[in-house]
C-alpha cells in the first residue's frame, strides 16, 4: 500500500475485526452493480454484463451509457444503447497485439464497395451455424448489436469481425473469400 493510500485509509480494530474507513465514494460502483443486476433480469449475456461493468469501472463514457440504459424505458432505445455500449467496449479494449485470426484490410475502398455482400455472406454462415441468438451466445455480443451489425451498410469494426470469425471457426482464407464475394 502506498503512503498516499495509507493516509486516505484509516482502520479501527473492534472485537478482533478490522473496519476500514476510506474517503473514496463507492456510490458509482454500487450503482453499476445494480445496473448489472438489472441487465441480468433482462437476460443480457453474462459475459457482456461483466465486460461492460469492468470497462465502465475504468472508462467513464461506458459508465455514462450504462446509466443511460438503466434509465431508459423504451425497448428500441435500450437496444441502441446496448449496441453503443458494445462499440465502446470494443474501442476501450483494443489491444496492440495481433489476434490469432488475421483479417486483411489492405484495400479499404474495395471492401467498402462490397460491405453489403460481405455482411450478407457472413450472415448466411451465421444462419447455417444456429442464427443470431446462437452467435450472441458464442461471442458475448448482445443480439441487438449483432442485428445492427448485419442490417447496417457501415464498415464493420475489426474487433467485431474477429469475434464473429472466431465464433464461427472461420480462418483467414474463408474470411478473404467472404470479402471477395
Amino acid at each position: 500500500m502506498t503512503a498516499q493510500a495509507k493516509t486516505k485509509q484509516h482502520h479501527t480494530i473492534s472485537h478482533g475485526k478490522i473496519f476500514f474507513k476510506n474517503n473514496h465514494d463507492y456510490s458509482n460502483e454500487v450503482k453499476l452493480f445494480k445496473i448489472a443486476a438489472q441487465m441480468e433480469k433482462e437476460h443480457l449475456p453474462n459475459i457482456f454484463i461483466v465486460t461492460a461493468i469492468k470497462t465502465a469501472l475504468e472508462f467513464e463514457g461506458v459508465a455514462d451509457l450504462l446509466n443511460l440504459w438503466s434509465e431508459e424505458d423504451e425497448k428500441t432505445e435500450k437496444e441502441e444503447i446496448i449496441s453503443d455500449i458494445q462499440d465502446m467496449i470494443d474501442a476501450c479494449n483494443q489491444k496492440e497485439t495481433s489476434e490469432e485470426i488475421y483479417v486483411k484490410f489492405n484495400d479499404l475502398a474495395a471492401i467498402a464497395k462490397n460491405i453489403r455482400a460481405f455482411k450478407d455472406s457472413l450472415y448466411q454462415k451465421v444462419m447455417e451455424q444456429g442464427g443470431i441468438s446462437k452467435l450472441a451466445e458464442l461471442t458475448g455480443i448482445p443480439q441487438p448489436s449483432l442485428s445492427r451489425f448485419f442490417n447496417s451498410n457501415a464498415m464493420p469494426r475489426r474487433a467485431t469481425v474477429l469475434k464473429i470469425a472466431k465464433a464461427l471457426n472461420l480462418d483467414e482464407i474463408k474470411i478473404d473469400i467472404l470479402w471477395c464475394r
Side-chain angles (χ1 to χ4, degrees):
M1 186 178 304
T2 65
Q4 183 181 13
K6 285 181 184 177
T7 60
K8 288 186 177 181
Q9 189 175 52
H10 307 287
H11 67 275
T12 58
I13 299 175
S14 173
H15 303 292
K17 295 182 181 177
I18 299 176
F19 296 93
F20 290 95
K21 294 178 186 172
N22 193 322
N23 292 340
H24 180 76
D25 178 12
Y26 289 101
S27 60
N28 290 331
E29 286 93 340
V30 170
K31 187 171 184 180
L32 288 173
F33 292 121
K34 288 179 182 178
I35 292 170
Q38 183 183 353
M39 290 177 140
E40 187 175 38
K41 285 180 186 173
E42 294 196 23
H43 305 290
L44 290 171
N46 285 339
I47 191 162
F48 171 78
I49 296 169
V50 170
T51 305
I53 298 304
K54 283 182 176 180
T55 308
L57 289 169
E58 192 173 341
F59 297 96
E60 188 176 348
V62 178
D64 292 342
L65 283 172
L66 286 168
N67 285 313
L68 186 66
W69 178 88
S70 73
E71 296 167 359
E72 183 60 56
D73 293 325
E74 189 178 323
K75 184 179 189 235
T76 56
E77 283 297 315
K78 285 184 106 160
E79 289 178 354
E80 283 292 318
I81 295 168
I82 289 295
S83 295
D84 292 341
I85 291 169
Q86 182 64 53
D87 288 345
M88 291 271 307
I89 289 169
D90 291 343
C92 292
N93 292 327
Q94 280 188 338
K95 301 174 189 137
E96 295 289 325
T97 58
S98 62
E99 296 279 336
E100 58 199 58
I101 299 172
Y102 181 70
V103 179
K104 294 179 183 176
F105 284 91
N106 294 337
D107 188 356
L108 293 179
I111 292 169
K113 289 178 186 176
N114 295 313
I115 289 172
R116 186 72 265 148
F118 167 72
K119 287 186 176 182
D120 289 345
S121 177
L122 186 57
Y123 182 76
Q124 291 295 25
K125 297 279 185 200
V126 169
M127 297 312 288
E128 290 169 11
Q129 294 191 32
I132 296 288
S133 296
K134 179 71 174 174
L135 184 61
E137 183 182 312
L138 293 172
T139 61
I141 300 172
Q143 187 275 332
S145 298
L146 289 170
S147 293
R148 185 165 103 177
F149 171 87
F150 285 108
N151 290 323
S152 80
N153 290 326
M155 179 69 126
R157 297 178 65 90
R158 184 175 190 274
T160 304
V161 174
L162 287 171
K163 283 182 183 180
I164 293 170
K166 204 174 209 178
L168 298 177
N169 293 316
L170 299 178
D171 60 19
E172 177 184 349
I173 297 166
K174 291 179 184 172
I175 291 171
D176 286 342
I177 291 169
L178 290 171
W179 277 112
C180 295
R181 285 188 185 168

